[in-house]
Amino acid sequence: MNIKTNEMNQETNENKLVKKSRIESYDIAKSDETMHLAIDLAKFIKENKLYQNIQGKEYVNVEGWQYAGSRLGILPVVEHVINVSTDTELKYQAKVNLLNLRTEQVVGAGFAICSNKEQGKKYYQEFAIASMAQTRAIGKAYRNILAWIIRAAGYEPTPAEEMDYSGNNQEAPKVEQPQVAVEPKAMKAVPVEAEKQPETTPATSVKYASAKQKEEIIRLLNNPVITRQEKTKMLLNINKLDEERATQAIVKLKKVIEDREDEQTAAA
């Protein structure tokens, strides 16, 4: 009896492990599973602070992208890191492939470079430049196939390291505006004011939807009565919502879900 009991307990434990592994991994081809992943990502990234706030928008660090990929069984493999330096510049280029562990096939790739000519990297050692090129290539590779999942999680679909790179391309702050201002005063006052007003007004008055509001919207969108088309449309615009519109969207989604569930109950 003891032997049979032990065998049954072992079988039960194995079944639990199988079920657990199924729950903890996702299939990128199945929209319902990836919606669950988006909710999991939003929580994981927020709790571990794997994002940066750049000009009022939140961009996920490469560690967050790697977490998303690992949950889908997609891991980065560095193909090469090449030294493309010159006499006056320390520069490395990297290529990373994404390998699907289930199929053992390459499902994506990303290229990136890093240079000590970038702002803030003048005194970087050679290994640090090579390492950053590799890090950026990993983020770029994941972005090419998982950007929509990161957006569904409520974040901008560009790796933070890539934003860091584009932000370093500040080719000499060309004093174009001051030069324009020196010309005939009557012709300058109007254009300068016209350009500055649109930039400052939104920055000070618009409060975008909070992470909590985005999480609630994603949770509601995952309800089976919401169609795939409705999910896609809402997710593509989720980062454009301000707090008021996000609140309205949550109320509307709850009402739609309630009405549809009532209809299904009545039909049954």
Side-chain angles (χ1 to χ4, degrees):
M1 288 292 291
N2 290 333
I3 295 175
K4 289 185 178 179
T5 303
N6 289 334
E7 288 177 351
M8 289 175 66
N9 289 336
Q10 184 177 356
E11 185 177 350
T12 302
N13 291 333
E14 289 176 354
N15 289 336
K16 286 181 179 178
L17 287 173
V18 171
K19 288 180 181 178
K20 185 177 180 182
S21 65
R22 286 176 182 169
I23 292 170
E24 292 185 346
S25 62
Y26 298 89
D27 186 348
I28 194 172
K30 297 178 181 178
S31 61
D32 290 340
E33 289 193 16
T34 48
M35 284 300 296
H36 283 293
L37 174 58
I39 296 171
D40 175 62
L41 270 177
K43 182 180 178 183
F44 183 84
I45 291 169
K46 183 178 179 181
E47 288 180 348
N48 293 279
K49 297 181 180 179
L50 298 179
Y51 65 90
Q52 294 181 30
N53 191 301
I54 303 174
Q55 296 182 347
K57 296 183 178 180
E58 294 175 344
Y59 296 84
V60 179
N61 296 337
V62 71
E63 293 87 354
W65 290 84
Q66 286 177 306
Y67 177 75
S70 67
R71 298 303 300 274
L72 293 163
I74 299 173
L75 300 181
V77 178
V78 178
E79 181 172 310
H80 66 240
V81 179
I82 303 174
N83 187 343
V84 290
S85 304
T86 65
D87 293 337
T88 59
E89 181 181 16
L90 187 60
K91 188 175 182 180
Y92 274 81
Q93 171 189 297
K95 180 185 178 183
V96 168
N97 293 323
L98 295 181
L99 181 68
N100 187 322
L101 296 180
R102 292 190 182 98
T103 62
E104 296 186 354
Q105 293 180 333
V106 173
V107 293
F111 291 87
I113 61 171
C114 183
S115 163
N116 67 344
K117 290 286 188 181
E118 299 171 26
Q119 184 177 357
K121 293 182 174 57
K122 182 178 180 180
Y123 300 106
Y124 270 36
Q125 296 184 38
E126 186 170 351
F127 77 89
I129 296 294
S131 178
M132 178 54 77
Q134 178 178 315
T135 298
R136 289 174 176 168
I138 292 172
K140 184 66 175 180
Y142 276 126
R143 182 195 188 284
N144 289 337
I145 64 169
L146 302 182
W148 65 278
I149 295 179
I150 294 294
R151 180 178 283 280
Y155 296 90
E156 294 299 316
T158 303
E161 291 78 10
E162 193 171 330
M163 290 299 297
D164 174 60
Y165 175 65
S166 61
N168 285 323
N169 292 335
Q170 302 175 354
E171 303 175 328
K174 300 178 183 176
V175 215
E176 293 180 36
Q177 288 184 347
Q179 287 178 356
V180 175
V182 177
E183 296 179 13
K185 296 179 182 178
M187 299 181 67
K188 275 155 209 278
V190 178
V192 170
E193 289 179 2
E195 287 178 7
K196 286 186 178 178
Q197 279 182 341
E199 291 178 4
T200 54
T201 303
T204 54
S205 62
V206 177
K207 289 186 178 179
Y208 289 99
S210 66
K212 188 174 182 180
Q213 287 177 311
K214 292 177 183 178
E215 288 176 19
E216 178 64 7
I217 289 173
I218 293 171
R219 186 187 70 79
L220 292 170
L221 288 174
N222 201 41
N223 191 292
V225 300
I226 302 297
T227 67
R228 184 179 298 180
Q229 205 171 19
E230 289 169 331
K231 287 181 188 177
T232 303
K233 185 178 179 181
M234 177 65 76
L235 290 173
L236 288 175
N237 294 287
I238 194 169
N239 289 324
K240 298 177 184 178
L241 297 176
D242 56 32
E243 288 185 345
E244 184 179 352
R245 289 171 61 198
T247 301
Q248 294 172 353
I250 291 170
V251 172
K252 185 176 179 181
L253 279 169
K254 287 181 177 178
K255 183 69 167 59
V256 169
I257 291 170
E258 185 180 348
D259 290 345
R260 291 181 183 176
E261 286 179 343
D262 289 343
E263 289 176 7
Q264 290 181 355
T265 303

